[in-house]
Amino acid sequence: MGRKFFVGGNWKCNGTGEEVKKIVSTLNESEVPSEDVVEVVVSPPFVFLPLVKSLLRSDFHVAAQNCWVRKGGAFTGEISAEMLVNLSIPWVILGHSERRALLSESSEFVGDKVAYALSQGIKVIACVGETLEQRESGSTVAVVAAQTKAIADKVSNWDNIVLAYEPVWAIGTGKVASPAQAQEVHCELRKWLHNNAGAEVAASTRIIYGGSVNGANCKELAAQPDVDGFLVGGASLKPEFIDIIKSATVKKND
Ligand code: PGA
């Protein structure tokens, strides 16, 4: 089906200049499958983006963790998509649940951000996911479908979008979704894309899983047919991120 495995490392609001250099040198020294097998993107805080970009091996890429919803201007504290383009930052993470929950980003706002970033030529890791309450009330699929619809309403081309399914209850909690739970939602998301964006979009869009992925649980998750990679938080700051990248080889005999 030709969906290249994708592993993103979301460093969140962590690190000093020294720590960042250390992580990059660990990544640079690691032996991982080639770019044909796995696409690796790390996402440091904004202030470290130029440093990481300048030091990082050329087969790995960088992502910003957010950007402003429209063209830059009088928006104190924001970073525009144009600035990311200016620094040759190819990717951005949008709609992360921490921003949805703590900074009240609505699904519509996230949809607008995705559309604007794409219009500037930036590729997007777009995050969706349900809370524990929503899962327990049986509305998981409806919630992630609505979040995906808010994006689909604003974009016509999915070539440069990776969809990240990140159940909120699994993020940073050590409580990973089971492979079956992840597969079920990924499969529903792919069906949603099929019915609403077309068969080609459904077949080609990478749907990656995020939420307490680590070196020990990644292989079993990676083996699920609709899991096309990972968005990794805590473990992306540690050497085990390399094991997660290597889990791409699980797909090799497809
Ligand atoms: P976690 O975070 O791996 O620390 O659970 C994942 C994410 O928020 O992207």
Side-chain angles (χ1 to χ4, degrees), residues 31-129:
E31 273 187 43
V32 297
S34 79
E35 264 188 293
D36 302 336
V37 175
V38 59
E39 186 165 5
V40 180
V41 175
V42 295
S43 189
F46 284 124
V47 290
F48 298 127
L49 275 169
L51 175 69
V52 172
K53 192 175 162 54
S54 71
L55 298 176
L56 192 65
R57 57 198 286 170
S58 62
D59 55 336
F60 288 8
H61 301 283
V62 291
Q65 294 176 17
N66 179 39
C67 67
W68 179 234
V69 63
R70 282 183 284 278
K71 194 170 160 38
F75 306 106
T76 303
E78 290 294 334
I79 305 282
S80 69
E82 290 83 357
M83 291 171 191
L84 300 181
V85 172
N86 182 247
L87 292 185
S88 304
I89 307 300
W91 286 93
V92 65
I93 298 171
L94 294 172
H96 192 280
S97 68
E98 286 152 12
R99 299 196 61 86
R100 289 179 189 261
L102 303 173
L103 296 151
S104 305
E105 291 196 3
S106 69
S107 291
E108 291 64 35
F109 189 63
V110 171
D112 283 336
K113 282 188 171 192
V114 172
Y116 191 75
L118 290 174
S119 78
Q120 298 308 298
I122 300 177
K123 295 181 269 194
V124 176
I125 302 163
C127 306
V128 299

Side-chain angles (χ1 to χ4, degrees), residues 6 15 20 29 65 72 90 92 100 116 146 161 168 178 181 187 191 201 217 230 240-241 244 254:
F6 185 101
V20 160
E29 285 159 17
Q65 294 176 17
V92 65
R100 289 179 189 261
Y116 191 75
I161 302 178
V168 177
S178 69
Q181 283 174 322
C187 180
K191 264 193 234 161
V201 169
N217 60 31
F230 300 115
E240 71 186 284
F241 186 59
I244 300 171
D254 277 5

Side-chain angles (χ1 to χ4, degrees), residues 10 12 96 98 166 170-172 211-213 231-234:
N10 175 8
K12 307 194 180 185
H96 192 280
E98 286 152 12
E166 297 204 301
I171 294 178
S212 296
V213 176
L231 185 56
V232 185

